[in-house]
Amino acid sequence: MLLKAADRVRTDYIDRVNEGGGPGKAHVPSLPGQAPNTDTGRLVGSAGSQVRKKNSAETFVEAEYAVWLEFGTDKMAPRPALGPAFDDMLPHIRENIRKAIKG
């Protein structure tokens, strides 16, 4: 159940980033505050989810520049995608946990 939730966050993240472009298209940078637009596919290709230990799962993005996009730098405003993907999935995650507890 937790891995399914982490997978949903990952899928939503990928959808957000892919929304603004794709490999083979001329890259158009996203506006500040919007999810980054995909360029080479490396960012979404580095997104994953896994079970870390009992009762724990995580969604991650391994591309080294993902954190700069998510939170910004002193020269670039944030282009968040993972945080908003998690926020949007949180009600579904909570509901699935409630159902699992009730049996």
Side-chain angles (χ1 to χ4, degrees):
M1 173 190 58
L2 291 175
L3 183 57
K4 182 178 178 181
D7 282 340
R8 287 183 75 174
V9 173
R10 176 187 168 271
T11 299
D12 191 58
Y13 171 82
I14 290 170
D15 289 346
R16 287 170 188 271
V17 175
N18 279 336
E19 199 172 282
K25 297 181 182 177
H27 180 67
V28 177
S30 61
L31 296 174
Q34 294 180 343
N37 291 337
T38 196
D39 186 10
T40 64
R42 188 167 158 229
L43 187 64
V44 296
S46 74
S49 55
Q50 65 184 9
V51 173
R52 296 288 286 169
K53 57 185 176 180
K54 186 177 180 180
N55 297 324
S56 176
E58 68 179 3
T59 303
F60 57 88
V61 183
E62 292 181 328
E64 66 278 357
Y65 57 93
V67 70
W68 302 329
L69 290 168
E70 190 75 19
F71 299 107
T73 68
D74 58 349
K75 297 180 181 182
M76 181 186 72
R79 269 98 172 142
L82 190 56
F86 177 78
D87 291 344
D88 285 354
M89 291 295 126
L90 191 55
H92 302 291
I93 294 167
R94 287 183 175 147
E95 182 59 28
N96 286 339
I97 291 171
R98 275 190 212 100
K99 287 179 183 177
I101 291 171
K102 286 183 178 182

